[in-house]
Amino acid sequence: MEILNNPETWISLITLTLLEIVLGIDNIIFISILSSKLPQEKQKKARQLGLGLAMITRVLLLLSLSWVMTLTATLFNIGDWFSIDSKEWLEKLAISGRDLILIVGGLFLIYKSTHEIHLKLEGEEEGGANAKVYTFNGVIVQILLLDIVFSLDSVITAVGMADHVEIMIAAVVIAVIIMMISSGAISNFVNKHPTVKMLALSFLLLIGVSLLAEGLDQHIPKGYIYFAMAFSVLVEMLNLRMKRNSKKPLELRDTPKE
C-alpha cells in the first residue's frame, strides 16, 4: 500500500504505460499485416491471441529480470576472430545474448517486410491458383517469434524507467489491453488503404534495420525513428483526405497568357 500512496509510483506507471503503447505500435502493425492473410473470421482471434502472447512474454521476462540482465554479458567478440586490437572496435564488436536476439530479430523483420512488399508489388494475386496459403498456427508462430524480440526491447526500457516490478507489470498489462481494444480499428484501416499498408511495411523495414544496428552496438535514437514515422503518417493522412475531398485528380493551372 505504501507504493500506491507514493505520487512517484503513479507518475512512473502513467509514463511507462504510454511508453509501452508507443513501443507496441510496431508490434500492432506486424500483427495486423500477418493476421490479414487469414480468413476474415479468424483475423480478430489472431490479433487478440498475438497481443495476449506479447503480454505473457513481457510479464515472464519481467519476472525473470536477473536472467534478462545476464543477456547483456558478452558471449564472444567478433574482433578476436580478425585479431583487431582497437579497444573502441572491440567494444562495438562484442556480442551478447541480447545482441544476438536483436540481430536475428532484425534480419527476420527485414526479410519479412521485404518479402511482403515484393508480394504486394509483384507477387501472386490474392486467391490466385499459385497464391500461398497461410495457416492459423503458422501466423501465430511468426507473431510469437517477433513478440520475443519486441518484448525484450520493451522490458529493458521498463527496467530503466521504474524501480518496482509490480509497476512494470501493471504498465505492460494496461498497455496491452489498450492495444487489444484499438488493434481492430488499426488493422481495418491499414488493410483498407493499400498505400497505408505499404507505408506500414516500410516502417517494419526501418525497425528491422534499427534492431540490426542496435545488435551491432550502433545505437539509433528512437526519437528519430518515431519522428520519421509520425511525419510519414501525417503526410499520408493529408493525401488520403485530399483524395476523399477531390472528385477528380488535382491539375496544375496553366500560367495566364499576357
Side-chain angles (χ1 to χ4, degrees):
M1 291 301 294
E2 293 182 3
I3 297 178
L4 297 178
N5 293 330
N6 189 348
E8 293 183 0
T9 298
W10 294 101
I11 294 174
S12 297
L13 178 62
I14 294 172
T15 304
L16 192 53
T17 300
L18 293 174
L19 188 59
E20 289 291 327
I21 293 173
V22 172
L23 292 174
I25 291 175
D26 45 15
N27 207 351
I28 293 179
I29 293 173
F30 183 77
I31 290 174
S32 298
I33 291 174
L34 278 183
S35 63
S36 66
K37 299 180 179 300
L38 296 172
Q40 187 70 34
E41 64 274 10
K42 293 184 179 180
Q43 291 182 13
K44 182 178 180 180
K45 182 180 178 181
R47 288 195 302 270
Q48 301 296 326
L49 183 56
L51 288 170
L53 289 172
M55 180 176 69
I56 293 173
T57 303
R58 294 181 188 189
V59 171
L60 290 176
L61 287 174
L62 285 170
L63 293 175
S64 56
L65 284 178
S66 58
W67 175 77
V68 172
M69 290 300 100
T70 62
L71 292 175
T72 58
T74 301
L75 295 177
F76 58 90
N77 197 306
I78 299 176
D80 295 336
W81 301 352
F82 301 97
S83 301
I84 295 176
D85 298 326
S86 172
K87 184 178 180 181
E88 180 182 355
W89 276 102
L90 285 174
E91 290 179 356
K92 291 182 178 180
L93 295 174
I95 302 297
S96 64
R98 172 180 175 269
D99 293 334
L100 280 178
I101 294 174
L102 292 178
I103 290 171
V104 173
L107 289 173
F108 177 75
L109 205 54
I110 291 172
Y111 161 76
K112 193 65 184 176
S113 53
T114 304
H115 180 65
E116 291 295 323
I117 290 174
H118 171 75
L119 287 179
K120 296 301 177 189
L121 295 177
E122 299 184 14
E124 295 286 342
E125 291 287 341
E126 292 186 6
N130 297 323
K132 184 177 179 180
V133 178
Y134 291 83
T135 64
F136 183 84
N137 291 336
V139 168
I140 294 300
V141 168
Q142 292 186 60
I143 291 174
L144 180 59
L145 290 175
L146 259 295
D147 277 344
I148 294 174
V149 178
F150 289 135
S151 297
L152 182 66
D153 191 34
S154 175
V155 166
I156 291 175
T157 301
V159 172
M161 290 285 296
D163 298 324
H164 301 283
V165 176
E166 297 88 347
I167 297 175
M168 301 178 201
I169 292 176
V172 167
V173 172
I174 294 172
V176 171
I177 290 174
I178 293 174
M179 286 190 289
M180 281 183 171
I181 295 172
S182 60
S183 64
I186 294 174
S187 180
N188 292 335
F189 182 79
V190 170
N191 292 326
K192 185 178 178 182
H193 300 89
T195 55
V196 174
K197 194 165 189 175
M198 193 62 64
L199 189 62
L201 288 169
S202 300
F203 290 162
L204 291 178
L205 184 61
L206 178 62
I207 293 167
V209 173
S210 173
L211 290 175
L212 181 60
E214 191 76 24
L216 295 173
D217 201 26
Q218 300 296 316
H219 180 65
I220 302 175
K222 285 187 170 57
Y224 294 162
I225 296 175
Y226 289 131
F227 175 79
M229 291 170 64
F231 181 77
S232 300
V233 169
L234 176 61
V235 172
E236 184 59 26
M237 293 302 101
L238 293 174
N239 284 334
L240 290 175
R241 184 171 181 179
M242 185 182 71
K243 290 178 183 178
R244 187 171 61 247
N245 294 336
S246 301
K247 293 184 179 180
K248 60 179 182 179
L250 200 62
E251 296 180 358
L252 296 177
R253 298 173 182 267
D254 292 330
T255 304
K257 295 181 180 180
E258 297 181 358

